Amino acid sequence: MQIETLDITDIKLLFPRKFGDERGFFSETYSQSRFNQAGISVEFVQDNHSLSREAGVLRGLHYQCPPFAQDKLVRVVHGRILDIAVDIRKNSPTFGKWVSAELSADDWNQIFVPKGFAHGFATLEADTEVIYKVSAPYAPESERAIMWNDPDIGISWPFGTDDVTLSAKDAAAMSFADYCKDPDF
């Protein structure tokens, strides 16, 4: 497995090997021992799978506060997304900074997003399916969201406000300024 570090070094882009023949392919998408060797020591407890019917569906920027904070390992099994991670750790030198990576079924890549980051993605193709592992169970009372288009963060999304489909929860997300008043990390 090839592992690349993004501009915020805690975020890793991973490229699992894929072995194919006339029958199809085989790929080891997660190996605890290989992740440990790469310095990623996480125990995943839950797998999630989402389908977005249209391009322009935006999910995020989500996080769960402690004690249910989640590390995430995200991959696309059909379609393509722009994946975003925002550093929300108040004492981090990259606090408020973000990184992005395009993930796709064709590229067979995945991204590791540790605790202390708000995470989101936007679909770039219709019928996009995303699978992600998390290190803590879903805890609705700990779930939070920061506005996807907050000007203080300044994420470069590939579309405008009118071209996005959001959930009601994401449309009502807090501003980054509000997060900064009482940060969870």
Side-chain angles (χ1 to χ4, degrees):
M1 180 177 302
Q2 177 188 341
I3 301 176
E4 296 177 9
T5 299
L6 297 183
D7 288 342
I8 298 176
T9 58
D10 295 319
I11 309 294
K12 310 290 185 201
L13 195 58
L14 303 102
F15 298 86
R17 293 179 63 192
K18 209 173 192 183
F19 303 94
D21 60 23
E22 66 282 350
R23 299 168 298 158
F25 72 87
F26 170 83
S27 181
E28 184 179 273
T29 60
Y30 173 74
S31 163
Q32 186 176 28
S33 64
R34 289 182 200 258
F35 273 58
N36 287 341
Q37 291 169 3
I40 303 171
S41 297
V42 173
E43 184 177 330
F44 292 109
V45 299
Q46 181 176 311
D47 282 2
N48 301 320
H49 189 150
S50 74
L51 166 68
S52 299
R53 290 279 181 214
E54 303 294 328
V57 171
L58 195 140
R59 299 176 188 268
L61 302 163
H62 301 150
Y63 69 94
Q64 286 190 174
C65 31
F68 296 103
Q70 295 177 322
D71 303 284
K72 295 178 180 178
L73 180 62
V74 182
R75 65 190 181 101
V76 174
V77 294
H78 188 267
R80 201 165 49 99
I81 64 171
L82 179 65
D83 196 273
I84 302 286
V86 179
D87 190 345
I88 58 171
R89 303 168 297 174
K90 67 179 176 181
N91 294 320
S92 169
T94 55
F95 178 68
K97 305 289 185 212
W98 59 275
V99 292
S100 67
E102 188 174 301
L103 304 181
S104 73
D106 289 342
D107 290 339
W108 205 244
N109 54 350
Q110 49 192 1
I111 193 166
F112 173 72
V113 179
K115 297 171 187 165
F117 286 80
H119 174 259
F121 63 85
T123 58
L124 302 174
E125 294 179 6
D127 296 322
T128 292
E129 292 186 61
V130 177
I131 294 177
Y132 55 103
K133 294 182 167 305
V134 294
S135 62
Y138 174 63
E141 67 282 2
S142 295
E143 185 179 33
R144 306 284 186 277
I146 296 172
M147 285 183 352
W148 67 279
N149 60 349
D150 190 289
D152 291 336
I153 299 172
I155 297 170
S156 296
W157 294 99
F159 38 71
T161 304
D162 295 338
D163 301 319
V164 171
T165 303
L166 297 170
S167 69
K169 175 181 68 176
D170 290 345
M174 76 176 115
S175 69
F176 187 63
D178 283 343
Y179 174 83
C180 291
K181 291 175 188 173
D182 186 23
D184 292 304
F185 291 92

